[in-house]
Amino acid sequence: MAGKLRAGDKIVVASHNAGKVREIEALLAPLGIETIAASDLGLAEPEETGATFAENAVIKAVAAAEAANMPALADDSGLEVEALGGAPGIHSARWAGESKNFRRAMARIARELAEAGVVSNEPNRANFTCVLAIAWPLERVHLFEGKVFGHLVWPPRGDYGFGYDPIFVADDHEETFGEMEPAQKHAISHRAKAFEQFVAEIVEGRQ
Ligand code: IMP
């Protein structure tokens, strides 16, 4: 039986990524669920040793739930580029290096595509994937996955969002995620899709 959350409950957002924390808080606020970020509780960032988004989401959610003795919601996500065999994938954050330089990470994608000699008049297909994990202390973890498909553009466009948003255009759209107002991105993103399932299953009164 899945644990449940209801308005007034408080959970830890098990992420040290400010962009993600902001998006998750914006998704939870209308449900009346209060949040505190792992970094505001001074929780250490666990090492992401998993081989999949799901494994890493579980590592982060369980570590935060046990350290804080509260329910914890983690998000593991990334950009998968078809012509790069799904890279950077679970290494999306790591491609930005210690300094979290996403201009450099986006340039690496452009460079690796050029080096791979991808000769195509078609835009490069890519998708964002998000796996959400909700954990209660000493209980089972529940997972929800969302994907958004689209293509890459170069050079990057737009200052909204975070990470790889300026080079990703979702199918049936022309603006990059970096050019979209947050509410527009929230309506179609991988995170929003995973979140919809999380709400349907976990949030009391939303079934
Ligand atoms: P992690 O899940 O903390 O390992 O890192 C996920 C990384 O994927 C982020 O640092 C971003 O680089 C990238 N990413 C995940 N979701 C998004 C998004 O919505 N927009 C842009 N980049 C994203």
Side-chain angles (χ1 to χ4, degrees):
M1 200 359 234
K4 295 284 180 197
L5 293 172
R6 52 192 68 77
D9 284 352
K10 189 165 183 175
I11 67 171
V12 182
V13 180
S15 175
H16 288 72
N17 175 325
K20 267 202 228 173
V21 171
R22 206 167 44 236
E23 290 196 0
I24 293 171
E25 287 181 347
L27 289 161
L28 286 168
L31 305 171
I33 295 171
E34 293 175 40
T35 54
I36 179 144
S39 48
D40 292 336
L41 285 174
L43 302 187
E45 237 180 316
E47 210 185 321
E48 296 183 25
T49 52
T52 61
F53 291 116
E55 285 175 13
N56 284 334
V58 169
I59 288 170
K60 290 187 275 192
V62 168
E66 296 192 348
N69 201 26
M70 283 168 68
L73 180 65
D75 161 318
D76 202 66
S77 46
L79 179 71
E80 299 177 294
V81 180
E82 207 172 271
L84 298 181
I90 61 165
H91 300 117
S92 294
R94 275 165 264 183
W95 277 30
E98 290 276 313
S99 57
K100 308 204 168 161
N101 182 341
F102 280 95
R103 293 281 144 188
R104 205 174 72 191
M106 290 186 282
R108 176 165 170 191
I109 290 181
R111 191 178 68 241
E112 293 212 3
L113 284 170
E115 282 169 7
V118 180
V119 182
S120 168
N121 291 326
E122 299 296 318
N124 278 296
R125 299 290 302 162
N127 71 271
F128 277 119
T129 296
C130 169
V131 174
L132 291 176
I134 174 95
W136 278 262
L138 305 178
E139 277 188 45
R140 267 180 56 196
V141 183
H142 302 274
L143 295 170
F144 306 93
E145 183 183 82
K147 286 179 186 279
V148 59
F149 291 88
H151 69 269
L152 300 181
V153 293
W154 191 260
R157 305 194 315 242
D159 296 318
Y160 287 117
F162 66 98
Y164 298 91
D165 280 341
I167 56 169
F168 182 81
V169 176
D171 287 343
D172 305 320
H173 289 80
E174 286 176 8
E175 295 167 303
T176 66
F177 270 3
E179 292 171 309
M180 284 185 175
E181 298 272 356
Q184 257 183 300
K185 178 182 169 189
H186 292 168
I188 59 169
S189 79
H190 49 313
R191 191 160 292 106
K193 287 177 181 165
F195 206 76
E196 238 171 67
Q197 299 167 48
F198 160 80
V199 170
E201 196 162 320
I202 299 293
V203 181
E204 200 75 69
R206 298 278 166 161
Q207 291 68 36

